[in-house]
């Protein structure tokens, strides 16, 4: 599970980086930046939902000190 979460976080960062790249190079002539940001938001919501459901169903053990 840890590697899945790290992988999704890396994909979110890559999507944000591509949106910045498209913003600088397209100069508003393309929808690529909007698509990259929409993908980032979708991945973020999916990761949040996955973490909430995983905690609810007990996929992530509690680490109490």
């Amino acid at each position: 599970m840890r590697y899945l979460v790290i992988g999704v976080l890396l994909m979110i960062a890559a999507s944000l980086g591509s949106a910045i790249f498209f913003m600088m190079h397209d100069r508003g002539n393309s929808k690529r930046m909007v698509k990259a940001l929409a993908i980032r938001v979708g991945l973020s919501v999916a990761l949040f939902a996955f973490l909430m459901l995983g905690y609810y169903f007990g996929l992530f053990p509690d680490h109490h000190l």
Side-chain angles (χ1 to χ4, degrees):
M1 291 293 174
R2 178 180 298 162
Y3 297 117
L4 178 69
V5 171
I6 291 171
V8 173
L9 286 173
L10 289 174
M11 290 189 320
I12 290 169
S15 178
L16 183 60
S18 67
I20 292 171
F21 176 80
F22 293 142
M23 181 180 69
M24 294 297 185
H25 289 270
D26 286 350
R27 304 280 189 226
N29 297 331
S30 175
K31 300 285 185 190
R32 294 190 296 179
M33 182 184 75
V34 175
K35 283 184 183 180
L37 290 175
I39 289 171
R40 185 187 67 87
V41 169
L43 285 171
S44 298
V45 169
L47 178 62
F48 180 74
F50 172 73
L51 291 174
M52 293 300 290
L53 289 172
Y55 182 74
Y56 179 75
F57 288 117
L59 296 175
F60 306 113
D62 292 335
H63 293 288
H64 295 290
L65 296 175

